[in-house]
Amino acid sequence: MFGLAKYQKKEIAIYGLGITGTSVAKVFKKTNSKLYCWDDNEKVRKKAQKLKFNISKFWLNKKNIDNIVISPGIDIKKCKIKNYLKKNLNKIITDLDIFFELNKKALIISITGTNGKSTTCKLLEKILKTSKYKVKTIGNIGKPVLFEGNGKNKIFILEVSSYQLQYSKTFRSHHAAIVNISPDHLERHKSMKIYASIKSKIFSGQKKSDFSYVNSRNKYSNFVKEIHKKNKIKSKLVMVKKKDYKNLSGPIKNKYFDSEGNIENLNFAYRIAKNLKIKNETIINAVNRFKSLPHRQEVFFSSKNLVCVNDSKATSFEASLQSLKNFNKIYWIVGGLPKKKNIFSLKSVKTKIVKAY
């Protein structure tokens, strides 16, 4: 397959055969690579056999494995073959790396962050489509990145997670943004510094013609800026401010952008759109016609005396706080397991909540 020439006739292992691992295997089956596939779950292995994947305990193979593609959900420090993977860290690649090899001619925009990345991706997609660009939004938001074909003459918007970035080697974005960073996934990443460092890998490989976007108001923005400088990232660093969108020459009438969190998302979409030379009128038109994503401050019932909001995608307290700040006289139904180092304080919103269930 054109774009994967460097993997031709190589010995490739794929560890984890969920939707991401399966998409990787399907791509490599079109090359002359020798594939060895494995998943620790027997039921998943049986499904993979039906797809005629070569199921093999590759870590016991005497042949030299050239590359190992691991699924994002696998933590190599805790998996069953952790010792083998630790010895072969330099061989590990991800679906992001393969995607980049296949789509070097496409314009790639990548968005990561603890909260708001899905909304930022879809808002930016709305702006680009309104401007008549041919654009696809993929990645952590829905279909794996390798479900899309060759990206010649396309723009791809990728929602990227820390799990995907952690082991990536060659992935590059022309526009890369970290919307915000707050405590999340620390059961895997252990500390906020490690978590922020992994998020910052979204800037890896960027060139002078590329752009990096960082939230000027976020607690960890200075740390991210230091990483950008320390790693000698060549791209232009753009500090996204609280009221950047105010530079638009017209009113935002969409009430969805009354909330602080969604204004933050709008600022990022605006700055990226302006670097793509999109006119203010087009941005305003797109923003005012933008509809909220399912389960994200989604108003599913509204009457004179009652508004019901589904914010179930808020999986951390920081994410919930954005919604709580946006309403008054709240009857709050909340549940779930606490996340490591997730600070839970209602001090700033307690007067807004009538009762919590």
Side-chain angles (χ1 to χ4, degrees):
M1 179 185 285
F2 180 77
L4 294 181
K6 71 180 190 179
Y7 297 109
Q8 294 286 345
K9 299 181 181 179
K10 299 286 187 179
E11 307 279 329
I12 308 292
I14 300 173
Y15 185 39
L17 294 171
I19 55 173
T20 298
T22 298
S23 69
V24 172
K26 286 180 177 179
V27 166
F28 275 116
K29 276 191 77 173
K30 297 176 183 178
T31 70
N32 291 323
S33 308
K34 177 66 176 178
L35 282 185
Y36 304 92
C37 302
W38 186 261
D39 194 287
D40 293 333
N41 188 310
E42 187 178 358
K43 289 182 179 179
V44 175
R45 292 200 300 271
K46 287 181 178 179
K47 287 182 180 179
Q49 283 178 321
K50 291 179 181 179
L51 295 172
K52 297 183 179 180
F53 295 159
N54 177 29
I55 303 301
S56 169
K57 293 184 177 181
F58 59 87
W59 59 95
L60 302 177
N61 198 329
K62 292 182 180 180
K63 288 186 178 181
N64 182 48
I65 298 294
D66 295 297
N67 288 105
I68 307 162
V69 187
I70 64 171
S71 293
I74 293 172
D75 183 352
I76 66 169
K77 294 177 182 178
K78 295 181 179 180
C79 66
K80 291 183 179 180
I81 58 169
K82 59 183 179 182
N83 292 332
Y84 173 84
L85 293 177
K86 285 177 183 178
K87 289 178 183 177
N88 292 278
L89 280 174
N90 62 318
K91 296 180 180 181
I92 294 175
I93 58 174
T94 68
D95 62 326
L96 288 180
D97 299 322
I98 300 163
F99 173 83
F100 176 66
E101 295 293 336
L102 287 170
N103 296 284
K104 286 184 176 179
K105 292 184 178 180
L107 178 69
I108 299 173
I109 303 169
S110 296
I111 310 292
T112 195
T114 307
N115 304 306
K117 50 188 179 290
S118 294
T119 298
T120 304
C121 285
K122 295 304 287 185
L123 176 58
L124 188 56
E125 179 191 69
K126 183 75 172 178
I127 293 169
L128 292 174
K129 284 186 174 180
T130 303
S131 196
K132 307 301 181 184
Y133 281 104
K134 190 176 181 181
V135 57
K136 285 276 187 181
T137 301
I138 53 175
N140 203 49
I141 196 170
K143 290 182 178 179
V145 294
L146 291 177
F147 272 35
E148 288 296 325
N150 187 281
K152 188 177 180 181
N153 301 321
K154 281 185 182 177
I155 297 178
F156 286 109
I157 301 172
L158 274 61
E159 181 183 317
V160 184
S161 72
S162 60
Y163 289 179
Q164 289 174 296
L165 289 167
Q166 187 171 10
Y167 303 118
S168 65
K169 296 283 197 304
T170 61
F171 179 66
R172 172 196 164 203
S173 292
H174 301 87
H175 296 263
I178 302 177
V179 179
N180 53 56
I181 297 176
S182 60
D184 202 10
H185 304 307
L186 297 186
E187 67 286 345
R188 173 159 164 173
H189 299 315
K190 306 305 178 187
S191 74
M192 284 303 297
K193 279 197 171 183
I194 294 173
Y195 180 46
S197 296
I198 291 170
K199 286 288 191 187
S200 298
K201 286 188 72 178
I202 199 169
F203 305 136
S204 296
Q206 285 193 307
K207 298 181 179 180
K208 286 184 179 180
S209 57
D210 301 330
F211 294 86
S212 302
Y213 302 84
V214 175
N215 190 332
S216 65
R217 299 175 66 239
N218 187 257
K219 181 179 178 180
Y220 299 95
S221 59
N222 286 334
F223 182 65
V224 171
K225 283 167 61 180
E226 288 172 11
I227 292 172
H228 194 278
K229 184 178 180 180
K230 182 181 177 181
N231 293 342
K232 297 180 180 179
I233 304 297
K234 296 178 181 179
S235 58
K236 183 180 178 182
L237 183 62
V238 178
M239 299 306 296
V240 178
K241 299 176 182 177
K242 183 179 181 181
K243 294 184 179 180
D244 276 342
Y245 78 98
K246 291 286 188 180
N247 291 315
L248 288 168
S249 55
I252 301 298
K253 299 176 182 178
N254 191 336
K255 290 185 178 181
Y256 187 63
F257 295 100
D258 287 345
S259 73
E260 190 174 314
N262 287 322
I263 287 173
E264 183 176 81
N265 302 330
L266 173 58
N267 282 321
F268 274 86
Y270 167 76
R271 291 301 297 272
I272 295 170
K274 292 310 294 180
N275 281 331
L276 292 171
K277 311 298 182 185
I278 296 176
K279 295 179 180 178
N280 280 356
E281 305 92 272
T282 303
I283 298 172
I284 294 166
N285 183 19
V287 170
N288 284 332
R289 292 190 296 113
F290 182 75
K291 294 182 179 179
S292 64
L293 275 63
H295 319 304
R296 296 164 177 86
Q297 295 188 38
E298 178 187 13
V299 176
F300 62 91
F301 177 83
S302 181
S303 68
K304 185 178 179 180
N305 298 315
L306 178 66
V307 176
C308 296
V309 181
N310 176 357
D311 197 39
S312 55
K313 284 295 285 185
T315 57
S316 68
F317 179 69
E318 186 66 29
S320 296
L321 200 59
Q322 298 299 332
S323 189
L324 293 171
K325 285 179 178 179
N326 203 32
F327 299 96
N328 292 300
K329 298 181 180 179
I330 299 168
Y331 291 83
W332 187 28
I333 303 170
V334 60
L337 296 173
K339 293 187 174 183
K340 190 175 180 180
K341 295 186 180 180
N342 193 14
I343 299 171
F344 194 96
S345 173
L346 295 173
K347 187 177 180 180
S348 62
V349 292
K350 64 180 180 180
T351 57
K352 291 174 168 282
I353 301 170
V354 177
K355 193 169 183 178
Y357 301 89

